[in-house]
Amino acid sequence: MATPKALLLAFLCCACISGAVMAARELSDDSAMVARHKQWMAQYNRIYKDDAEKARRFEVFKANVKFIESFNAAGNRKFWLGVNQFADLTNDEFRATKTNKGFHRNSGKSHTGFRYGNVSIDALPATVDWRTKGAVTPIKNQGQCGCCWAFSAVAAMEGIVKISTGKLISLSEQELVDCDVHGQDQGCNGGEMDDAFKFIIKNGGLTTESSYPYTAEDDKCKAGSNSAGTIKGYEDVPANDEASLMKAVANQPVSVAVDGGDMTFQFYSGGVMTGSCGTDLDHGIAAIGYGKASDGTKYWLMKNSWGTTWGENGFLRMEKGISDKRGMCGLAMQPSYPTK
């Protein structure tokens, strides 16, 4: 029979072995994460100024990967997250560079008229994708400039120009960033799509992206030809009414404001975004269609401006027809579109 002393020694040995195994496992996991971070850095051409910054970014990366893997492991959602180009940013840092607080139109009704008001919902197509009709330019990337409002407005304008003229022209967001400094529009510090439309009308249109290329920073306004694409006006979709938004999107791409600052938006990788979502509007995107997923979930098809490594090659699907009249992430609160 073992003595108490022998049992204690045996327990201590087991504890030491167990502790050593756990320590070795943690070291192995950390080494694997270090290698993963290094591979990620190479993929996204990320270079840090010194070892201290690299160490801090690694800790952020590790925490984000843990969140992403935990979210996906739950297995009860219709969308999933991925380790994308924002994986070494805290959510606060992400919000600071990718979103803005420039959206203020809270009216329950449109004051501009709504030309699609008498359209019958029953007459609308079951699915719409303006990409298949050649009315959507390739995904763009706003970079570290908070000018999503300009990309949203330009995407909607490119759509109506194509529909009315038959020509798909990539127009200049940078012209808006540099030259539109009235109302809420303040370049990389945020703005509103309606104010962008007002400027475009007053400006006589926008020039092409190739003539006035995007630099992802505020600069001096450059004079030049602005008539590559023109609009005559704009209209607001009646607020908090997804049926009205559906009527508009069936006829043209529409600018939409959403709450795009949470971590699920930051790391969205695919599927139909569902579930709880805020309505503190801080990001401009463009609704370019709608449809129904294979499991029957209805969705809005959105074009974003964070490059092709985010979401579904730069695009996003958000649940359509939810019980909250404001729509998923507030998408139905203040949509608008340019007119020809």
Side-chain angles (χ1 to χ4, degrees), residues 16-321:
C16 287
I17 292 170
S18 176
V21 169
M22 289 180 65
R25 184 178 298 161
E26 288 175 0
L27 185 62
S28 175
D29 289 347
D30 222 34
S31 296
M33 189 63 74
V34 167
R36 189 170 178 181
H37 183 225
K38 185 177 180 180
Q39 183 181 31
W40 177 88
M41 287 174 61
Q43 180 181 356
Y44 292 104
N45 298 313
R46 187 76 87 248
I47 298 173
Y48 302 117
K49 63 181 180 180
D50 53 36
D51 288 343
E53 174 69 5
K54 183 177 180 180
R56 189 174 81 83
R57 289 297 163 192
F58 170 71
E59 291 302 320
V60 174
F61 178 85
K62 184 166 64 172
N64 283 336
V65 169
K66 183 177 179 181
F67 169 79
I68 291 164
E69 292 182 342
S70 175
F71 181 95
N72 291 340
N76 58 351
R77 297 179 175 91
K78 297 183 179 183
F79 70 107
W80 54 93
L81 309 182
V83 181
N84 59 24
Q85 70 267 39
F86 306 133
D88 70 342
L89 298 178
T90 66
N91 187 244
D92 285 343
E93 290 169 331
F94 167 77
R95 287 174 181 269
T97 58
K98 295 298 175 184
T99 64
N100 73 81
K101 298 292 183 180
F103 303 103
H104 298 292
R105 177 167 63 85
N106 297 311
S107 171
K109 294 183 179 180
S110 169
H111 296 296
T112 59
F114 180 56
R115 64 186 55 203
Y116 305 119
N118 293 326
V119 173
S120 169
I121 285 288
D122 295 333
L124 299 180
T127 62
V128 170
D129 184 344
W130 283 106
R131 295 175 300 185
T132 65
K133 300 178 182 181
V136 181
T137 57
I139 289 292
K140 303 180 184 183
N141 194 340
Q142 69 187 74
Q144 300 300 307
C145 173
C147 62
C148 54
W149 59 273
F151 282 84
S152 172
V154 166
M157 181 175 171
E158 289 169 341
I160 195 61
V161 168
K162 163 63 179 179
I163 292 167
S164 61
T165 69
K167 297 178 181 179
L168 180 63
I169 304 168
S170 185
L171 299 170
S172 175
E173 289 85 8
Q174 192 65 42
E175 185 175 6
L176 280 172
V177 171
D178 292 348
C179 305
D180 180 12
V181 290
H182 78 290
Q184 298 296 325
D185 296 347
Q186 301 296 326
C188 291
N189 293 316
E192 288 192 8
M193 285 76 84
D194 280 9
D195 281 345
F197 296 143
K198 292 175 186 176
F199 168 82
I200 294 166
I201 296 163
K202 183 178 179 180
N203 195 50
L206 287 178
T207 191
T208 62
E209 185 176 24
S210 59
S211 297
Y212 204 143
Y214 185 64
T215 63
E217 60 185 5
D218 294 315
D219 206 344
K220 292 182 179 179
C221 182
K222 301 173 181 63
S225 174
N226 302 312
S227 59
T230 62
I231 57 175
K232 291 182 179 179
Y234 74 93
E235 294 177 355
D236 297 332
V237 177
N240 306 324
D241 184 354
E242 286 194 72
S244 289
L245 179 57
M246 184 176 176
K247 294 176 182 181
V249 175
N251 284 279
Q252 64 181 100
V254 174
S255 286
V256 169
V258 295
D259 185 335
D262 67 17
M263 291 185 73
T264 55
F265 223 102
Q266 181 175 350
F267 298 116
Y268 169 82
S269 183
V272 180
M273 184 179 284
T274 58
S276 61
C277 192
T279 55
D280 185 11
L281 304 182
D282 60 9
H283 185 51
I285 55 179
I288 61 166
Y290 56 81
K292 184 184 292 187
S294 57
D295 67 355
T297 305
K298 294 179 180 179
Y299 64 81
W300 293 106
L301 176 62
M302 304 289 191
K303 182 186 184 185
N304 202 0
S305 54
W306 293 341
T308 58
T309 55
W310 179 90
E312 296 181 326
N313 297 313
F315 297 94
L316 160 71
R317 287 180 292 162
M318 305 177 75
E319 187 173 12
K320 177 174 175 284

